Amino acid sequence: MTDNGTSAKNSCTLPLDLALYHHLEQRTQDLSSEFMATVERLQTQVQQMTAWTADAGEVYVASVRLLSQEIQACSDKTVQLITHCDELDKDFSQLVDLSRQIQGIDKALSQLQLILQ
């Protein structure tokens, strides 16, 4: 019997194939290297995506700012156009009165001309 109470017959050793062990060890290292390379590529891609997202956000903010400025400029021009239209309407209403007066004068001149003949 051994010190831990088991007989020598029960303890057995498995034969170790060193070539297989070295192959498994090399394969493990290769897989580990591939995994680390994949993780590094993913980290690089995540960093690129983060930068692209930030850039896209800046482009969006700039686009919204420019669009707001354009809308404001269009609104201002629309207000100016409405103001000019109101002024033209007032001017045209005066022209209508002036046209009536001219027609009246023309009628009076025609009558005067008929009388003088």
Side-chain angles (χ1 to χ4, degrees):
M1 295 203 94
T2 61
D3 292 343
N4 64 4
T6 59
S7 65
K9 285 183 179 181
N10 287 343
S11 80
C12 63
T13 58
L14 294 173
L16 184 60
D17 183 356
L18 287 178
L20 179 61
Y21 176 76
H22 288 299
H23 174 73
L24 288 174
E25 186 177 35
Q26 183 61 43
R27 184 69 182 131
T28 302
Q29 288 176 355
D30 292 345
L31 287 172
S32 176
S33 295
E34 287 177 26
F35 177 75
M36 292 304 294
T38 301
V39 167
E40 287 176 13
R41 276 193 316 272
L42 287 173
Q43 286 175 337
T44 300
Q45 289 176 349
V46 166
Q47 289 171 352
Q48 285 178 338
M49 292 166 105
T50 301
W52 292 338
T53 301
D55 291 345
E58 290 173 10
V59 168
Y60 174 77
V61 168
S63 297
V64 168
R65 185 179 308 118
L66 287 173
L67 180 62
S68 295
Q69 291 170 354
E70 286 294 320
I71 290 172
Q72 184 62 45
C74 288
S75 295
D76 292 344
K77 287 180 181 180
T78 301
V79 168
Q80 288 175 354
L81 183 61
I82 291 170
T83 302
H84 290 308
C85 287
D86 286 344
E87 290 171 5
L88 281 174
D89 187 48
K90 289 176 186 175
D91 290 343
F92 282 135
S93 69
Q94 292 174 359
L95 285 177
V96 169
D97 290 341
L98 187 57
S99 173
R100 286 185 188 136
Q101 289 174 2
I102 290 173
Q103 286 175 353
I105 291 172
D106 189 38
K107 261 187 187 179
L109 284 175
S110 293
Q111 289 174 354
L112 182 59
Q113 195 175 26
L114 285 174
I115 294 174
L116 291 175
Q117 288 182 343

